[in-house]
Amino acid sequence: MSRLAFLPIALFAASVAAQTTTSCNPLNSTACPDDSALGTTYNGTWDSSDTELNTKLWNVTAGTDDIQFTDNGLELVISESGDSVTAESTFYIFWGQVEVMMKAAAGTGIISTFDLLSDDLDEIDLEIKGGNKTSVSSNWYGHGNTSQYNGVDHAVDGPQDSFHNYTFVWGQEQLQWIIDGDVVRTVESASSGQYPQTPSRLKFGIWAGGDSTQPQGTIDWAGGATVWDDGPFVMTVKSIKVTDGSTNVTNYAYGDQTGSYESITSTAGESKAFKLLNKKTTTESAKQSWEGLSTGAKVGVACGIGGAFAIGIIAFCTFCLIQRRRGKKERKLADEAWDNNQAELMEYQKMMRSGAFAVSNTGRREKF
Ligand SMILES: *[C@@H]1O[C@H](CO)[C@@H](O)[C@H](O)[C@H]1NC(C)=O
Ligand SMILES: *[C@@H]1O[C@H](CO)[C@@H](O)[C@H](O)[C@H]1NC(C)=O
Ligand SMILES: *[C@@H]1O[C@H](CO)[C@@H](O)[C@H](O)[C@H]1NC(C)=O
Ligand SMILES: *[C@@H]1O[C@H](CO)[C@@H](O)[C@H](O)[C@H]1NC(C)=O
Ligand SMILES: *[C@@H]1O[C@H](CO)[C@@H](O)[C@H](O)[C@H]1NC(C)=O
Ligand SMILES: *[C@@H]1O[C@H](CO)[C@@H](O)[C@H](O)[C@H]1NC(C)=O
Ligand SMILES: *[C@@H]1O[C@H](CO)[C@@H](O)[C@H](O)[C@H]1NC(C)=O
């Protein structure tokens, strides 16, 4: 941030939030790793039963201990000089939509942000200053060019007092910011400047632009000096929904060093995020197998309920005898099959006892 201290104050509104570094810039290297695609829709909601952000989907790079879960949602809480919280998605989208239900943090100099950021520093931003009760800002950058000044303010009534719906709709032709259903800004891809057009991940967080450790220019931009005694300062996120522009893709890659959308290639298949989000619970997979059983087999399972444990013990002894004659590797595979079958059998029994074969909502809901 210190290099900003040399810029005239008037320029801060445009430059303070820009990301200026990236671990591997595809404009400069042909050896950057591929980006993991989302390839589907992610719908994150949080309440007091949650204990952490799913680490397979989110990388918390600052303030892990300052994240709390309440029935209002995910809370990012900062209370003293030096505190900040940043979380970034492990997945990337290539065009798509991001919808956030958020109540920004109040407090002079406190900044709540949501951004889409690419490896070659394309950027789409939303920033809310805790000391301004009437407006929020949108901004964008291309190829990390901080000489582009694209910041615009939008009227919102009390962004720190209630939840609002902030949505980015990002396409090849245009980019829109939508607040509570109203399109407040449209940027055409043909606009002057480098239009954001490369796979991006979502990053959100809270920081104190008004902290006394910041350069005076940043403090002025943020709306003044933060008074920590007024804290803690809390940004609350009720939900985040992200839809990738492509489905059935596992990775995005830069085909050359132009940073053009035309150079981006993708690999077909189920992404890591897709597999995680569509993972079936044991109950769900038992239900699915059950539906596939013949009537005869169902009757067999039903009759076996009482004696299932006895049958299980006999089957297990037979299984052990067979195993003696097999190699270690085969045994491991057979053990897994045995475990899976047992898990399903137990699930059938549980469902039968509760008379619940036909129900569709007994599955444990995975929380993200
Ligand atoms: C590319 O690398 C050179 C040398 O390290 C550096 O000066 C330049 O800023 C880099 N360009 C980008 C776009 O990262
Ligand atoms: C997202 O999750 C919330 C809470 O579970 C639910 O109310 C909402 O319908 C979901 N939306 C979609 C599009 O799945
Ligand atoms: C999380 O972010 C840190 C800092 O940028 C990085 O070193 C680390 O590799 C990231 N971890 C994952 C799983 O992406
Ligand atoms: C809030 O931001 C708007 C737009 O920049 C500005 O006109 C207004 O004066 C600001 N209010 C405060 C209290 O800083
Ligand atoms: C960065 O943006 C400025 C303002 O639009 C422009 O004059 C300049 O040429 C751009 N720099 C690069 C490297 O594209
Ligand atoms: C948020 O706004 C977007 C764009 O108008 C809309 O599609 C979406 O349904 C809204 N989400 C919620 C939770 O209201
Ligand atoms: C996803 O991509 C794989 C690999 O090309 C293909 O085999 C599969 O049919 C695709 N699935 C869907 C649902 O399009």
Side-chain angles (χ1 to χ4, degrees):
M1 206 63 67
S2 60
R3 70 183 189 87
L4 293 169
F6 302 103
L7 292 173
I9 283 166
L11 301 186
F12 275 98
S15 59
V16 112
Q19 179 183 254
T20 51
T21 59
T22 180
S23 57
C24 185
N25 191 330
L27 301 184
N28 244 1
S29 165
T30 52
C32 295
D34 290 357
D35 294 334
S36 288
L38 174 58
T40 184
T41 296
Y42 162 72
N43 183 20
T45 57
W46 297 274
D47 62 32
S48 57
S49 69
D50 292 298
T51 52
E52 64 171 7
L53 270 176
N54 188 314
T55 53
K56 294 199 170 89
L57 297 168
W58 297 101
N59 188 0
V60 179
T61 56
T64 313
D65 296 337
D66 298 325
I67 295 181
Q68 297 176 0
F69 297 89
T70 73
D71 288 332
N72 289 326
L74 173 68
E75 295 187 343
L76 313 186
V77 185
I78 57 173
S79 43
E80 56 188 55
S81 179
D83 283 357
S84 69
V85 184
T86 307
E88 56 192 29
S89 65
T90 56
F91 55 79
Y92 287 67
I93 62 171
F94 182 37
W95 316 124
Q97 181 158 330
V98 176
E99 295 167 30
V100 177
M101 291 297 295
M102 156 173 62
K103 186 162 77 169
T108 304
I110 303 296
I111 314 295
S112 303
T113 65
F114 262 90
D115 313 301
L116 277 170
L117 297 163
S118 78
D119 295 346
D120 69 0
L121 304 174
D122 285 345
E123 180 167 337
I124 297 168
D125 299 338
L126 176 80
E127 287 177 318
I128 306 180
K129 294 172 189 170
N132 192 314
K133 299 272 186 179
T134 57
S135 120
V136 305
S137 316
S138 64
N139 205 350
W140 60 276
Y141 296 93
H143 290 184
N145 185 345
T146 50
S147 304
Q148 293 187 179
Y149 304 110
N150 299 315
V152 171
D153 296 319
H154 310 284
V156 173
D157 188 18
Q160 305 83 2
D161 300 330
S162 54
F163 287 94
H164 292 274
N165 175 345
Y166 301 95
T167 296
F168 305 144
V169 181
W170 176 43
Q172 194 178 311
E173 311 291 330
Q174 62 179 26
L175 162 63
Q176 291 188 316
W177 282 260
I178 305 176
I179 303 180
D180 297 327
D182 296 328
V183 177
V184 298
R185 184 176 190 186
T186 301
V187 172
E188 302 293 340
S189 61
S191 310
S192 65
Q194 174 68 35
Y195 182 75
Q197 56 191 278
T198 47
S200 297
R201 56 187 153 171
L202 186 65
K203 188 168 175 175
F204 65 95
I206 179 173
W207 63 288
D211 192 31
S212 58
T213 57
Q214 298 288 355
Q216 189 59 43
T218 304
I219 296 172
D220 293 341
W221 166 81
T226 295
V227 180
W228 288 103
D229 285 347
D230 293 346
F233 304 109
V234 183
M235 165 181 175
T236 311
V237 181
K238 193 182 278 299
S239 61
I240 301 176
K241 185 175 168 187
V242 187
T243 305
D244 195 347
S246 304
T247 51
N248 201 32
V249 290
T250 62
N251 284 306
Y252 295 117
Y254 288 72
D256 61 29
Q257 290 172 255
T258 59
S260 157
Y261 72 88
E262 291 165 309
S263 74
I264 304 300
T265 60
S266 61
T267 312
E270 289 182 352
S271 69
K272 272 188 241 158
F274 180 93
K275 286 183 185 134
L276 184 72
L277 295 169
N278 291 280
K279 187 175 65 186
K280 288 201 181 68
T281 61
T282 306
T283 307
E284 281 161 352
S285 75
K287 251 184 294 173
Q288 202 169 56
S289 318
W290 175 260
E291 277 151 23
L293 292 180
S294 68
T295 309
K298 284 180 185 170
V299 170
V301 174
C303 291
I305 278 200
F309 284 101
I311 291 166
I313 288 163
I314 294 164
F316 185 68
C317 294
T318 314
F319 175 82
C320 294
L321 285 174
I322 295 166
Q323 286 316 299
R324 280 192 175 176
R325 292 178 224 126
R326 290 199 185 151
K328 216 175 177 181
K329 189 174 165 201
E330 277 178 312
R331 189 180 315 157
K332 187 166 174 290
L333 288 173
D335 278 351
E336 279 163 13
W338 169 267
D339 286 349
N340 288 342
N341 286 339
Q342 279 307 95
E344 287 208 352
L345 188 57
M346 301 283 272
E347 199 61 38
Y348 286 151
Q349 291 168 9
K350 217 167 66 193
M351 289 157 81
M352 275 214 157
R353 285 192 203 102
S354 62
F357 276 115
V359 273
S360 55
N361 276 322
T362 52
R364 184 170 54 93
R365 204 175 81 78
E366 289 282 347
K367 297 297 302 263
F368 301 101

